Amino acid sequence: MTGEGPFEYGVDGPKVIVAGVDGSETSLHAAAYAWGLARRSGARLVIVHVAPIAALSTLTAGGAAVMREAGEAVAGDLRRELERAAERADVRYEFVAEQGDPFSVISRVADASRADAVIVGASAQAGHRLVGSVAVKLVRTGRWPVTVVP
């Protein structure tokens, strides 16, 4: 190994990290991991919260409004947690909250922000073993490295 330069720690890595957060325990673990990675590498962090639109909720009177309000409440809680975390550690972050299909929104935000990495939590829902989770769909697109946090 003669003639090689010295090994460098922490000089390369993601410069833009997108993390999908839905309020579940695994997504909060993913957000914490992404926050630490962004802090250590000096990366910009884009936290994406997507409130899904449940098809059945639109069939009941006020169902869509209840779903929207619940999504807004989770987004507000996440925004406050991010503000508290930013007081303790200097991380450049952006918070994106939208309604829609989580896979589509996270993919669009990752593409628009030119993400170097996407970080999401593992799904704990049994049905996702049959139809696939957001994490599996993101991995299958193959446009960015995806880390799935348990």
Side-chain angles (χ1 to χ4, degrees):
M1 295 257 192
T2 59
E4 292 183 20
F7 183 76
E8 299 177 90
Y9 283 101
V11 293
D12 292 328
K15 294 299 175 200
V16 179
I17 301 167
V18 170
V21 183
D22 63 6
S24 67
E25 185 176 347
T26 60
S27 76
L28 295 176
H29 291 170
Y33 175 77
W35 186 273
L37 183 61
R39 181 183 51 78
R40 289 186 300 278
S41 65
R44 181 171 65 96
L45 177 61
V46 182
I47 301 283
V48 181
H49 169 70
V50 183
I53 300 171
L56 292 178
S57 70
T58 60
L59 297 177
T60 61
V66 170
M67 290 293 292
R68 184 175 51 258
E69 289 172 11
E72 289 171 358
V74 171
D77 290 344
L78 290 171
R79 185 171 276 121
R80 285 187 289 281
E81 285 299 319
L82 287 169
E83 289 168 358
R84 281 196 285 273
E87 291 172 1
R88 296 186 303 271
D90 187 25
V91 173
R92 294 178 300 135
Y93 77 92
E94 173 186 348
F95 183 69
V96 176
E98 293 186 20
Q99 277 193 310
D101 171 57
F103 166 76
S104 299
V105 174
I106 292 170
S107 296
R108 182 177 44 74
V109 170
D111 285 341
S113 62
R114 301 178 57 103
D116 298 306
V118 174
I119 301 174
V120 293
S123 176
Q125 295 182 8
H128 287 168
R129 292 190 181 115
L130 299 174
V131 296
S133 66
V134 172
V136 169
K137 291 175 186 175
L138 289 166
V139 168
R140 287 184 180 160
T141 63
R143 294 196 299 258
W144 340 262
V146 177
T147 301
V148 181
V149 177

